[in-house]
């Protein structure tokens, strides 16, 4: 009865389920590790039969990559050949052990007539073990150690065993057998089924082995990176994971979507700084085009994926926000996080609270501040793990700088867990900003492409060299033969400078004014050769069609003349759609030269081989060093050019100032909270009281001690100290009815009023809040709802009024086209028809009329016409205004309409405005036909592109999200593959965002209330 010990070894090859149809013949066990040890078999025959069963598998010892033996855990149970062999072996063993009997029905004999050895597997188990279960173990009971087991996986969900006919027969036999009859032993096959089913875990069906393995690897990498990020506290460990603490999938995506195979050395150094690993605040400064943004994006992805925290990315302009949303949407889809746009009228306050996914909020400066306020109010600021600020040096840029300082001060004061990363130009007083943010600083002068700076004086080119006494070193003469006519047309030799590089390379010409941009573009084209017309002729024809389509059949005559030569201009006088088309054409090489204003340098990234500064002035002001560095920094395209050049055209009178410009130390950055008679301090204190961050003078002072203004108090608060300034501001807020003072246990308590709460929550300017309230109260008394005019007047921005100079004949002509009710409304707001008629006739008006209301109504008429016609070009011609001004008016009005809507939400008496303004905000945001709005919600899709998509059959967001990028690029004219990918990715992200928001609402509806009253039984149980 002695038997040798046998081992059955099973190797797990894949987590994925193996389809049952893939089995053919007997399964093949693997030998990676032993999972069970069979003890000594009590019967030699059984040993021999088991040997034969195992021997059948020796030819194929290992599972192939495509075959997973236990991937489907019940698949082996369905293999009849193996089960039959096991049953046969056991039956023979039983027959050889059983004593001969004459009566075939001897099973009915009393149990005492049978020797115990016939039905007990172990002698020491005779006493009790077989009485504990209806089904005892089979011959496996004779094996020592434990019963046959398979290792359970890390999952907890197990597959449910299906009761087979054999099992059911045993149960039925148990119910009918006489009392005292020994319990039926488990067969070997049943024992194996039991062991396998009890430990098995069934993965989700339909997942391939390869996909499951990849998912497992990525999950494991993310887990390792997360644990490393939490424990690593020094730079000795430079590798937190496969790709700077991120799964290798991220590196593949960076290569696939950005074309970046490896990081620059400075980027690797920066990502491995102590402060980065220890999650301390950091400011890093590099020249333009040095690759700063990629470092920030890697840190953002690490926060989202490894630490499972939301992130906020602050950018200065709407165009940059939209560009970044399009660029990161693909990462969000691949890595399962949300990308949400907060710009213009877009963005929810507070944001949707997501349980399963984390969010990356990409916001303008103003929207970021509002977002921070809403998160503080809802006690969710700690959900933000990382805040990244681009162009941090804008702290010193007027009112927008004050808003950045307010937002960052609140984050520093309210959240100890939020890390702040700032990207900045090199600053002369970076120590002040470091102290304010409690941050470390990393600086590098790296540029991927070498930049050479030159100046042009008369007919000579000089290289900028601060080491020289005059800062300029002679480089070469300018060789270009000019006729007398050309010399008069182009005294600065711009044509000579640009034709040295175009059309083979690209060129940017920065001009001081918008009109100068158009003139320079037109002048250059007059003297270009015909070969420029033949270059990319078809692509230019498509661009011209797109420009004409965007204008509803109208087109700028300057662009119509210059585009065939590959030349265009770029400034804020263009519509947003025209600017986008010009930018895309330049990026793809259809256009080789842009004459532009300085705003392009601060906007989207459009580098060039050569950058020419037409003049050292912006309008009438001499340029600052930061502006100069930003413009010349556009020279040199990484991966395309080996050299970048900048040429500053100078006149003799500007030579001395130019020397100071190129050699002076970097400019300093100062707090702007005191800008505009302390408006920043007033707004900050109001929001602090409204958010319950502070409620006393001492608490306000405690908060103010953490601002940049406090760091620079000696320079900025010379005449009066910060404490006195705060005290005066509290008095002004109380005087305007925005706060009130009430007695408290520890002295005076500061409380916010309804008007104050509405003001800070809507981000309405403090100087306009009381005027807006009065206008809304007056408007509510005689609200006209048979047209949009009255509502449009109420949401026309106050700050645009000063830029308006009405044409009185046009004003009167449009006034006469109004309906009777609309004219009555005009009179109600203080603009009677008689006044407009007298002004149009050139007569003197003796009656006192509020000119601010007159100008505001004129702008309201422009917007009203635009809502009715939706053609910006025709409205511009009708009111004799530039299309760029109307575009600015429209975007400002949509943003202000959103502010007014939030303002009215704080007053019960303004309840009618809530629904009305919500729809008006939507109309002003897009100002197109209703059917195009769903397509224009996608980041970067303008009206003409939306029309193209709609006409091509992509009529809804779902159509766009499920589109094939290749088919999309082929179907739509002038749509490049990269753009098609970004549009589809953005549509998918937006669709996911909407679906997730709806799912959150559903989950909230079905969630058990935390304050649900307990039943009597539950109350007794708690006791």
């Amino acid at each position: 009865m002695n038997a040798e010990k046998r081992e059955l070894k099973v190797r797990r090859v894949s987590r994925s389920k193996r389809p049952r149809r893939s089995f053919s013949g007997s399964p093949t066990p693997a030998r990676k590790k032993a999972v069970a040890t069979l003890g000594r078999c009590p019967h030699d025959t059984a040993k021999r039969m088991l040997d034969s069963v195992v021997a059948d598998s020796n030819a194929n010892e290992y599972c192939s990559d495509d075959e997973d033996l236990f991937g489907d855990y019940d698949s082996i149970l369905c293999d009849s050949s193996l089960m039959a062999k096991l049953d046969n072996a056991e039956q023979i063993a039983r027959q050889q052990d059983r004593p001969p009997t004459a009566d075939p029905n001897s099973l009915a004999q009393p149990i005492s007539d049978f020797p115990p050895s016939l039905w007990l597997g172990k002698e020491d188990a005779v006493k009790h073990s077989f009485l504990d279960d209806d089904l005892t173990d089979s011959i496996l009971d004779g094996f020592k150690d434990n019963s046959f087991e398979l290792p359970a996986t890390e999952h907890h969900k197990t597959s449910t065993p299906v009761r087979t006919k054999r099992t059911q027969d045993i149960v039925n036999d148990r119910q009918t057998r006489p009392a005292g009859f020994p319990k039926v032993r488990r067969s070997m096959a049943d024992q194996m089924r039991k062991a396998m089913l009890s430990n098995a875990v069934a993965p989700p069906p339909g997942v391939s082995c390869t996909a499951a393995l990849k998912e497992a690897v990525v999950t494991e990498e993310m887990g390792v990176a997360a644990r490393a990020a939490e424990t690593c506290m020094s730079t000795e460990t430079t590798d937190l994971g496969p790709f700077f603490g991120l799964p290798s999938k991220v590196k593949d995506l960076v290569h696939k979507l950005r074309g970046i195979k490896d990081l620059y050395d400075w980027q690797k150094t920066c990502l491995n700084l102590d402060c980065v690993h220890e999650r301390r605040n950091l400011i890093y400064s590099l020249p333009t085009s040095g690759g700063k943004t990629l470092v920030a994006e890697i840190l953002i992805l690490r926060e989202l994926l490894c630490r499972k925290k939301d992130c906020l990315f602050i950018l200065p302009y709407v165009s940059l926000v939209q560009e970044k949303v399009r660029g990161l949407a693909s990462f969000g889809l691949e890595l399962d996080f949300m990308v949400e746009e907060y710009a213009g009228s877009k963005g929810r306050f507070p944001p949707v609270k997501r349980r399963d996914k984390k969010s990356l909020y990409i916001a303008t400066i103003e929207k970021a501040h509002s977002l921070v306020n809403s998160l503080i109010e809802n006690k969710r600021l700690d959900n933000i793990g990382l805040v990244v600020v681009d162009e941090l040096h804008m702290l010193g840029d007027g009112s927008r700088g004050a808003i950045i300082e307010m937002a960052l001060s609140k984050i520093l004061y309210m959240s100890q867990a939020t890390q702040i990363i700032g990207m900045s130009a090199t600053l002369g007083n970076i120590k002040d900003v470091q102290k304010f943010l409690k941050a470390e600083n990393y600086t590098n002068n790296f540029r991927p492409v070498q930049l050479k700076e030159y100046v042009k004086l008369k007919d000579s080119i000089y290289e900028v060299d601060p080491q020289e006494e005059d800062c300029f070193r002679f480089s070469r003469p300018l060789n270009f033969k000019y006729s007398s006519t050309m010399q008069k047309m182009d005294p600065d030799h711009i044509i000579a400078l640009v034709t040295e590089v175009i059309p083979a390379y690209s060129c940017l010409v920065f001009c001081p004014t918008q009109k100068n941009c158009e003139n320079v573009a037109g002048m250059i084209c007059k003297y270009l050769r015909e070969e420029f017309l033949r270059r990319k002729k078809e692509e230019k024809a498509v661009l011209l069609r797109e420009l004409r389509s965007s204008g509803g059949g109208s087109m700028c005559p300057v662009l119509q003349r210059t585009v065939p030569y590959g030349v265009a201009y770029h400034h804020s006088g263009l519509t947003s759609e025209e600017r986008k088309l010009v930018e895309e054409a330049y990026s793809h090489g259809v256009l080789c030269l842009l004459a532009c204003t300085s705003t392009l340098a601060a906007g989207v990234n459009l580098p060039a081989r050569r950058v020419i500064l037409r003049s050292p002035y912006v309008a009438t002001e001499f340029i600052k060093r930061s502006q100069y560095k930003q413009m010349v920094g556009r020279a040199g395209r990484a991966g395309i050019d080996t050299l970048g050049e900048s040429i500053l055209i100078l006149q003799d009178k500007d030579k001395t100032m130019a020397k100071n410009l190129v050699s002076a130390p970097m400019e300093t950055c100062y707090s702007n909270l005191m800008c505009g008679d302390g408006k920043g301090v007033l707004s900050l204190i109001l929001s602090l009281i409204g958010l319950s961050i502070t409620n006393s003078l001492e608490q306000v002072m405690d908060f103010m001690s953490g601002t940049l203004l406090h760091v620079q108090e000696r320079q900025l608060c010379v005449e009066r100290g910060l404490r006195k300034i705060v005290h005066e501001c509290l008095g002004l807020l109380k005087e305007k009815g925005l706060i009130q003072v009430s007695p408290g246990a520890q002295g005076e308590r500061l409380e916010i009023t309804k008007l104050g709460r509405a003001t800070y929550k809507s981000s309405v300017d403090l100087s306009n809040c009381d005027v807006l309230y009065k206008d809304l109260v007056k408007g509510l008394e005689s609200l006209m709802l048979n047209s949009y005019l009255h509502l449009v007047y109420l949401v026309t921005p106050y700050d645009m009024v000063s830029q308006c100079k009405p044409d009185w004949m046009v004003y009167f002509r449009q006034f006469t086209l109004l309906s009777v009710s609309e004219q009555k409304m005009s009179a109600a707001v203080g603009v009677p028809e008689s006044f407009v008629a007298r002004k149009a006739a050139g007569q003197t008006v003796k009656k006192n009329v509020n000119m601010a209301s007159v100008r505001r109504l004129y702008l309201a008429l422009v917007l009203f016409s635009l809502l009715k016609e939706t053609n910006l070009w025709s409205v511009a011609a009708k009111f004799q205004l530039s299309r760029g001004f109307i575009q600015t008016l429209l975007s400002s009005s949509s943003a202000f309409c959103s502010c007014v809507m939030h303002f009215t939400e704080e007053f019960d008496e303004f309840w009618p405005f809530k629904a009305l303004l919500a729809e008006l905000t939507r109309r002003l945001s897009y100002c197109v036909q209703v059917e195009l709005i769903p397509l224009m919600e996608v980041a970067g899709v303008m009206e003409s592109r939306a029309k193209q998509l709609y006409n091509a059959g992509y009529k809804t967001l779902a159509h766009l999200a499920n589109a094939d990028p290749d088919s999309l690029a082929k179907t739509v004219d002038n749509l490049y593959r990269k753009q098609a990918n970004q549009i589809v990715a953005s549509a998918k992200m937006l669709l996911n965002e909407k679906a997730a928001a709806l799912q959150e609402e559903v989950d909230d509806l079905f969630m058990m209330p935390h304050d649900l009253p307990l039943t009597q039984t539950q109350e007794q149980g708690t006791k």
Side-chain angles (χ1 to χ4, degrees):
M1 304 293 288
N2 293 332
E4 297 177 3
K5 180 180 282 189
R6 301 281 305 175
E7 288 187 353
L8 179 61
K9 298 181 180 180
V10 179
R11 185 180 71 148
R12 180 68 187 271
V13 178
S14 172
R15 293 189 181 193
S16 304
K17 290 182 87 173
R18 177 186 176 201
R20 295 184 180 183
R21 63 178 180 272
S22 65
F23 280 102
S24 59
S26 302
T28 57
R31 286 187 177 179
K32 185 171 183 179
K33 61 179 181 178
V35 294
T37 302
L38 302 182
R40 295 184 179 275
C41 181
H43 310 293
D44 291 338
T45 306
K47 174 182 178 296
R48 289 194 300 271
M49 294 304 297
L50 285 171
D51 286 347
S52 66
V53 172
V54 176
D56 288 341
S57 302
N58 288 340
N60 299 310
E61 290 184 319
Y62 293 96
C63 297
S64 68
D65 290 338
D66 297 327
E67 175 180 320
D68 181 10
L69 178 60
F70 298 115
D72 202 358
Y73 287 106
D74 59 346
S75 60
I76 193 171
L77 306 183
C78 299
D79 193 297
S80 59
S81 61
L82 179 62
M83 295 296 105
K85 289 177 182 178
L86 290 173
D87 283 346
N88 189 29
E90 184 179 24
Q91 290 299 328
I92 293 174
R94 287 179 179 176
Q95 290 174 6
Q96 291 181 354
D97 253 2
R98 186 176 298 159
T101 177
D103 186 0
N105 299 321
S106 60
L107 288 177
Q109 298 180 55
I111 190 171
S112 59
D113 293 346
F114 289 87
S117 61
L118 295 181
W119 52 274
L120 288 178
K122 288 183 180 178
E123 187 175 352
D124 57 359
V126 172
K127 298 180 181 179
H128 301 288
S129 63
F130 74 94
L131 299 175
D132 295 334
D133 196 351
D134 287 331
L135 297 177
T136 66
D137 294 333
S138 65
I139 59 173
L140 292 174
D141 288 336
F143 299 158
K144 294 181 179 180
D145 303 317
N146 296 327
S147 60
F148 182 81
E149 290 187 3
L150 293 174
T153 65
E154 68 273 19
H155 302 282
H156 300 291
K157 183 179 177 182
T158 59
S159 58
T160 304
V162 180
R163 177 166 289 189
T164 62
K165 183 178 186 301
R166 179 183 180 90
T167 308
Q168 188 62 47
D169 290 342
I170 294 174
V171 174
N172 293 337
D173 180 69
R174 182 192 65 179
Q175 295 172 352
T176 58
R177 69 188 175 212
F181 189 81
K183 299 177 182 179
V184 181
R185 292 189 309 179
R186 263 184 218 279
S187 70
M188 185 175 181
D190 287 336
Q191 175 63 17
M192 182 174 283
R193 287 189 181 93
K194 177 184 177 184
M196 294 170 68
L197 292 173
S198 64
N199 293 287
V201 176
V207 180
S208 69
C209 298
T210 304
L213 280 172
K214 286 182 178 179
E215 182 180 357
V217 170
V218 171
T219 303
E220 180 64 21
E221 288 177 353
M222 289 171 63
V224 171
R227 292 191 294 272
E230 291 175 359
T231 59
C232 181
M233 295 299 289
S234 70
T235 56
E236 294 179 1
T237 305
T238 58
D239 187 11
L240 300 181
F243 184 62
F244 300 99
L246 289 165
S248 55
K249 182 178 181 180
V250 176
K251 183 177 181 180
D252 296 337
L253 284 174
V254 171
H255 183 203
K256 175 184 175 183
L257 300 176
R258 301 286 175 81
I260 299 173
K261 295 182 180 179
D262 195 15
L263 273 62
Y264 298 127
D265 290 340
W266 83 263
Q267 293 172 326
K268 296 176 183 178
T269 302
C270 187
L271 287 168
N272 287 315
L273 292 172
D274 281 352
C275 59
V276 173
H277 293 329
E278 297 168 14
R279 300 195 72 257
R280 299 197 301 272
N281 297 342
L282 171 68
I283 303 168
Y284 61 98
S285 308
L286 277 97
T288 303
S289 303
K292 297 190 294 290
T293 305
L294 180 59
V295 171
E297 290 175 352
I298 290 174
L299 293 174
I300 287 171
L301 292 176
R302 191 155 68 183
E303 196 73 19
L304 290 165
L305 303 180
C306 300
R307 298 194 71 250
K308 302 295 183 183
K309 289 284 189 176
D310 297 332
C311 296
L312 173 60
F313 198 170
I314 304 175
L315 296 162
Y317 305 110
V318 174
S319 60
L320 291 178
V321 169
Q322 293 176 341
E323 182 184 36
K324 193 57 63 180
V325 168
R326 292 196 302 271
L328 290 176
S330 297
F331 284 90
L333 293 173
E334 292 286 345
L335 301 173
D336 199 30
F337 62 86
M338 305 301 297
V339 178
E340 302 185 37
E341 178 183 348
Y342 279 77
S345 60
K346 292 185 178 180
R348 296 181 60 168
F349 301 102
V352 177
K353 189 175 183 180
R354 308 188 191 281
R355 297 182 180 87
D356 300 328
K357 291 187 178 183
K358 296 305 171 185
S359 294
L360 168 58
Y361 308 112
I362 305 179
T364 57
I365 294 169
E366 294 78 10
K367 285 289 183 178
H369 184 219
S370 299
L371 181 61
V372 169
N373 284 344
S374 68
L375 290 171
I376 292 174
E377 185 177 17
N378 289 272
K379 296 178 173 58
R380 288 170 50 190
L381 185 61
D382 284 339
N383 292 344
I384 301 290
L386 176 66
V387 175
V388 175
V389 186
D390 193 13
E391 310 291 351
L392 182 64
H393 53 269
M394 288 187 69
L395 276 166
D397 185 18
S399 59
R400 304 194 81 206
I403 295 174
I404 298 175
E405 185 175 348
M406 285 189 273
L408 294 179
S409 298
K410 290 172 184 176
I411 294 170
L412 289 166
Y413 190 83
M414 295 298 295
S415 177
Q416 301 298 321
T418 303
Q419 184 183 18
I420 297 175
I421 302 291
M423 296 180 284
S424 171
T426 306
L427 296 174
N429 63 338
I430 191 66
K431 293 292 184 183
D432 287 354
V433 183
Q434 279 185 256
K435 187 175 180 181
F436 162 50
L437 293 179
K438 303 176 180 65
E440 297 189 18
N441 181 42
Y442 175 82
T443 303
N444 196 299
N445 293 321
F446 171 81
R447 273 188 59 91
V449 179
Q450 182 184 4
L451 172 64
K452 286 190 174 293
E453 298 178 35
Y454 299 94
V455 297
K456 175 191 167 293
L457 278 166
K458 298 181 180 179
D459 295 336
S460 299
I461 304 294
Y462 297 85
E463 185 176 354
V464 175
D465 186 359
Q467 304 300 325
E468 291 285 329
E469 184 178 353
D470 292 336
C471 292
F472 306 134
R473 184 177 65 247
F474 179 80
S475 177
R476 62 184 175 90
L478 186 62
N479 296 319
F480 194 86
K481 294 181 180 180
Y482 267 54
S483 64
S484 58
T485 306
M486 283 185 66
Q487 187 66 37
K488 291 179 180 178
M489 290 287 295
D490 182 22
D492 295 322
H493 305 100
I494 295 175
I495 297 173
L497 294 174
V498 300
T499 51
E500 288 180 346
V501 291
I502 65 170
Y505 300 99
S506 57
C507 182
L508 294 175
V509 181
F510 285 100
C511 303
T513 64
Q514 293 183 9
K515 190 63 178 175
N516 193 231
C517 290
E518 299 177 27
N519 292 338
V520 167
M523 177 196 68
I524 291 173
C525 291
K526 285 182 179 180
Y527 295 97
L528 292 180
R529 298 184 300 271
E530 289 188 4
E531 65 182 67
F532 283 84
L533 294 172
R534 294 192 292 270
R535 183 178 178 274
K536 296 193 174 184
K537 187 175 181 180
E538 294 181 1
E539 291 89 339
K540 293 171 185 173
V542 173
L543 175 59
L544 287 171
R545 287 200 301 269
E546 294 294 313
L547 288 169
R548 190 177 298 277
S549 175
S550 69
S554 301
M555 185 177 176
C556 172
V558 177
L559 289 177
Q560 188 172 11
R561 186 170 66 254
T562 62
V563 166
Y565 288 92
V567 177
Y569 66 88
H570 184 289
H571 56 62
S572 59
L574 293 171
T575 66
S576 56
E577 212 163 343
E578 287 174 319
R579 285 199 301 270
K580 184 172 178 59
L581 288 170
V582 168
E583 290 165 2
E584 290 175 353
Y586 178 82
S587 297
H588 291 87
V590 178
L591 299 175
C592 59
L593 184 145
L594 292 182
C596 51
T597 55
S598 59
T599 54
L600 183 139
V604 295
N605 187 21
L606 295 175
R609 172 63 177 267
R610 176 175 288 181
V611 169
I612 300 171
L613 279 67
R614 169 72 176 77
S615 167
Y617 291 89
V618 174
T620 58
E621 293 185 4
F622 200 84
I623 60 174
K624 300 176 183 177
R625 180 170 171 79
S626 60
Q627 291 174 314
Y628 170 76
K629 284 294 185 182
Q630 201 166 43
M631 287 188 276
V632 301
R634 294 300 184 191
R637 298 169 295 175
I640 301 176
D641 298 327
T642 57
L643 180 67
E645 300 173 334
S646 70
I647 301 176
L648 171 61
I649 299 176
L650 294 176
Q651 307 300 325
D652 288 333
K653 64 182 180 66
D654 298 322
K655 186 176 179 180
T656 302
M657 295 179 68
K659 289 179 182 178
N660 296 331
L661 176 69
V662 298
S663 62
M666 294 305 298
E667 296 167 349
T668 52
C669 175
Y670 290 106
S671 170
N672 273 269
L673 286 179
M674 293 299 296
C675 179
D677 296 327
K679 279 186 179 180
V681 178
L682 285 168
S683 298
L684 177 58
I685 294 175
L686 179 64
S687 62
L688 292 178
I689 298 171
L691 292 168
S692 300
I693 297 175
T694 60
N695 54 30
S696 68
L697 174 62
E698 294 305 319
Q699 288 181 351
V700 172
M701 287 305 305
D702 180 55
F703 181 94
M704 295 300 293
S705 65
T707 62
L708 180 60
L709 178 61
H710 179 266
V711 174
Q712 299 171 336
E713 182 177 1
R714 290 184 178 180
Q715 297 101 307
L716 302 178
C717 305
V718 178
E719 297 181 358
R720 45 187 180 156
L722 185 56
R723 187 178 188 88
K724 185 176 181 181
I725 291 172
V726 169
H727 195 274
E728 291 176 356
C729 288
L730 288 172
L732 285 173
L733 292 173
K734 183 180 177 182
E735 183 181 332
K736 291 177 74 68
L738 300 175
I739 64 170
Q740 59 188 14
V741 180
S742 60
Q746 299 179 351
E748 292 184 339
R749 180 181 177 83
L750 303 174
E751 296 178 349
I752 197 165
T753 62
K754 274 190 175 182
L755 180 60
R757 186 177 301 279
T759 301
Y760 94 80
K761 292 188 74 172
S762 63
S763 301
V764 171
D765 193 289
L766 291 179
S767 59
N768 297 324
C769 61
D770 51 348
V771 179
L772 176 61
Y773 180 78
K774 292 176 182 177
D775 285 345
L776 291 171
V777 170
K778 189 175 181 180
L780 196 61
E781 295 173 354
S782 56
L783 186 62
M784 183 188 68
L785 296 177
N786 59 352
S787 81
Y788 274 113
L789 182 59
H790 199 171
L791 286 175
V792 167
Y793 173 80
L794 292 174
V795 300
T796 301
Y798 294 103
D799 57 357
M800 294 285 293
V801 171
S802 60
Q803 304 177 37
C804 173
K805 294 182 179 180
D807 183 309
W808 295 109
M809 286 301 299
V810 173
Y811 203 156
F812 180 69
R813 191 180 304 118
Q814 293 301 316
F815 201 98
T816 57
L817 296 176
L818 298 177
S819 65
V820 175
S821 59
E822 289 170 343
Q823 290 184 1
K824 288 182 179 178
M825 185 280 298
S826 302
V829 298
V831 187
E833 181 183 8
S834 58
F835 172 82
V836 179
R838 287 177 179 273
K839 294 293 287 185
Q843 299 177 5
T844 304
V845 181
K846 296 181 180 180
K847 186 178 180 181
N848 291 330
V849 175
N850 186 343
M851 288 304 296
S853 299
V854 174
R855 295 191 184 98
R856 196 177 183 211
L857 181 61
Y858 187 74
L859 294 178
L861 289 173
V862 175
L863 292 170
F864 185 53
S865 298
L866 199 56
L867 286 176
K868 290 191 296 184
E869 299 181 27
T870 70
N871 189 316
L872 193 146
W873 279 80
S874 63
V875 173
K878 184 185 297 183
F879 287 87
Q880 298 181 11
L881 296 170
S882 72
R883 59 191 187 281
F885 175 82
I886 294 180
Q887 179 78 65
T888 303
L889 174 64
L890 183 61
S891 58
S892 298
S893 298
S894 64
F896 186 63
C897 186
S898 178
C899 293
V900 175
M901 181 179 67
H902 292 301
F903 185 91
T904 59
E905 288 174 351
E906 300 301 317
F907 297 94
D908 295 336
E909 60 268 30
F910 291 154
W911 64 266
F913 286 117
K914 185 175 181 180
L916 294 172
L917 293 178
E919 177 59 24
L920 182 59
T921 301
R922 188 166 177 261
R923 291 288 302 275
L924 289 172
S925 297
Y926 303 106
C927 199
V928 294
Q929 298 171 0
V930 177
E931 61 268 20
L932 299 180
I933 291 179
L935 299 177
M936 291 190 65
E937 289 180 344
V938 179
V941 175
M942 300 298 180
E943 182 180 1
S944 62
R945 183 72 77 205
K947 288 179 179 178
Q948 286 180 312
L949 294 169
Y950 190 87
N951 293 333
Y954 302 98
K955 299 184 177 182
T956 66
L957 187 61
H959 285 156
L960 211 52
N962 291 283
D964 175 57
D966 289 330
S967 300
L968 199 63
K970 293 177 183 177
T971 305
V972 179
D973 289 340
N974 200 32
L975 182 65
Y976 301 97
R977 171 65 192 274
K978 181 180 179 181
Q979 296 169 327
N981 283 327
Q982 289 182 340
I983 288 175
V984 172
S986 297
K988 286 181 179 179
M989 180 58 68
L990 185 58
L991 197 64
N992 289 346
E993 183 182 332
K994 291 187 174 185
L998 292 174
Q999 186 60 51
E1000 293 291 336
E1001 292 183 16
V1002 172
D1003 293 343
D1004 288 341
L1005 287 173
F1006 286 99
M1007 184 179 291
M1008 181 73 72
H1010 65 277
D1011 56 350
L1012 184 69
L1014 297 175
T1015 63
Q1016 187 174 3
T1017 305
Q1018 290 173 327
E1019 290 178 354
Q1020 293 175 353
T1022 56
K1023 295 178 182 178

